[in-house]
């Protein structure tokens, strides 16, 4: 279903939901309670933005996440209640281009109260086929270099948060906007930002040290979520599926990936937490490789290796060090 079609019924649902009174469990009463206790209501479109808002906002914010735990964020569909919650928030934080249903809802209901983090994230990587039908390896090419090959027009990679330093830039933008919405607590937001970016900087240093000496620098992933991580730490991502894990590769693409993995002595194929591991398992079986989990951190569930972003990134580092033969 075209997610843009969801916006019309969702927007119509605003009228009915606005009429709900306090105590009825609706988004309206939830927003009203937040206003009464003095906190700022923030709606985040998916987990990394929720986590950053909570870390920076602290006790001054009440953050809700439009993407429920266990839901694949690329395919998010919004209910009328979700759109109502979004429209009543003091601040909505989203990444334009990642979730079309959210893009539409923001444009229709809360454009002046929304922060699009895409600019701060510096989405400079373009995604295209890494292994082309011509057998040429296009991994690591710039957008200009890749445009010279006949793979069609590329799309910007939205998965900025897998680079902790890009994530820190987005966190700065969130802190700045919270300070504008709630200037009385701007100093607290700045202090919380400093602490959070300190943890992200330490994580970056840990990743850089841990991945510096990897014997094999090619990572074969189930979908193209790890481009910024690979770019930051001098790895090479070869993705089986595209930017969305729902893009099922053609058999010819699977064969090309398997041939490449064998030629480059890839010993580990990385599956994920929120999507089926079947495709990764297929390539692993074909190549004689093992599988391991590399989490794109699009949501935290009971299946996640840790309870927050830094913990899961550290688990990713452990998986990469083992899978890529790092000292």
């Amino acid at each position: 279903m075209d997610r843009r079609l969801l916006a019309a019924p969702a927007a119509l649902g605003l009228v009915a939901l606005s009429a709900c009174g306090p105590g009825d469990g609706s988004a309206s009463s939830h927003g009203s309670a937040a206003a009464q206790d003095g906190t700022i209501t923030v709606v985040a479109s998916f987990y990394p933005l929720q986590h950053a808002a909570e870390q920076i906002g602290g006790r001054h914010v009440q953050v809700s996440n439009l993407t429920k735990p266990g839901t694949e964020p690329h395919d998010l569909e919004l209910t009328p209640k979700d759109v109502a919650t979004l429209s009543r928030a003091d601040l909505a934080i989203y990444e334009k281009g990642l979730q079309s249903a959210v893009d539409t809802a923001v444009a229709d209901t809360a454009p002046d109260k929304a922060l699009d983090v895409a600019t701060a994230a510096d989405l400079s990587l373009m995604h295209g086929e890494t292994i082309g039908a011509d057998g040429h390896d296009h991994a690591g090419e710039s957008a200009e270099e890749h445009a010279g090959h006949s793979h069609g027009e590329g799309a910007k990679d939205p998965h900025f948060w897998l680079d902790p330093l890009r994530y820190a830039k987005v966190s700065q933008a969130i802190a700045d906007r919270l300070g504008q919405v709630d200037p009385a607590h701007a100093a607290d937001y700045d202090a919380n930002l400093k602490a959070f970016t300190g943890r992200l900087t330490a994580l970056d240093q840990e990743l850089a040290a841990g991945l510096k000496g990897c014997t094999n620098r090619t990572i074969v992933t189930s979908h193209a979520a790890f481009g910024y991580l690979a770019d930051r730490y001098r790895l090479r991502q070869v993705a089986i599926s595209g930017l969305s894990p729902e893009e099922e590769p053609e058999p010819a693409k699977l064969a090309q990936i398997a041939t490449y993995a064998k030629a480059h002595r890839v010993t580990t194929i990385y599956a994920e937490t929120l999507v089926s591991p079947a495709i990764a398992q297929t390539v692993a079986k074909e190549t004689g490789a093992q599988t391991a989990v590399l989490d794109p951190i699009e949501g935290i569930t009971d299946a996640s290796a840790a309870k927050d972003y830094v913990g899961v990134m550290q688990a990713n580092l452990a998986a990469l060090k083992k899978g890529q033969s790092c000292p």
Side-chain angles (χ1 to χ4, degrees), residues 106-235:
V106 166
D108 288 348
T109 66
D112 297 333
K113 298 187 294 180
L115 171 63
D116 171 19
V117 303
T119 299
D122 183 23
L123 302 178
S124 58
L125 293 186
M126 305 294 287
H127 170 70
E129 285 188 352
T130 305
I131 308 300
D134 56 3
H136 182 70
D137 178 6
H138 303 296
E141 292 179 343
S142 67
E144 292 76 14
E145 289 170 332
H146 189 78
H149 300 288
S150 56
H151 299 307
E153 188 173 355
K156 287 184 177 180
D157 183 348
H159 304 88
F160 68 86
W161 58 92
L162 291 164
D163 173 355
L165 298 187
R166 274 187 166 85
Y167 194 24
K169 290 181 179 179
V170 166
S171 299
Q172 176 71 65
I174 292 172
D176 291 344
R177 188 60 175 269
L178 282 172
Q180 294 170 10
V181 173
D182 181 25
H185 298 115
D188 289 346
Y189 299 141
D190 288 341
N192 291 343
L193 171 68
K194 184 176 180 180
F196 185 48
T197 55
R199 292 194 292 275
L200 295 179
T201 300
L203 175 64
D204 167 63
Q205 293 169 350
E206 186 178 354
L207 286 161
L211 299 174
K212 183 178 180 180
C214 298
T215 301
N216 193 324
R217 307 203 69 79
T218 298
I219 57 172
V220 178
T221 62
S222 58
H223 95 279
F226 301 92
Y228 290 109
L229 182 148
D231 184 64
R232 174 67 63 188
Y233 304 109
R234 300 178 182 272
L235 300 173

Side-chain angles (χ1 to χ4, degrees), residues 20-99:
C20 297
D24 60 5
S26 69
S28 175
S29 64
H30 176 77
S32 176
Q36 289 171 6
D37 69 14
T39 58
I40 300 301
T41 56
V42 178
V43 173
S45 63
F46 63 106
Y47 171 74
L49 301 183
Q50 174 198 1
H51 182 62
E54 288 173 340
Q55 296 300 304
I56 297 162
R59 63 187 176 86
H60 302 305
V61 302
Q62 180 175 313
V63 185
S64 59
N65 185 352
L66 291 174
T67 304
K68 304 300 183 287
T71 301
E72 217 298 314
H74 294 81
D75 298 315
L76 178 67
E77 297 181 358
L78 299 180
T79 66
K81 185 175 180 179
D82 291 331
V83 181
T85 300
L86 181 67
S87 72
R88 291 183 174 85
D90 295 306
L91 176 62
I93 307 173
Y94 76 116
E95 181 184 358
K96 189 173 183 180
L98 177 63
Q99 299 167 293

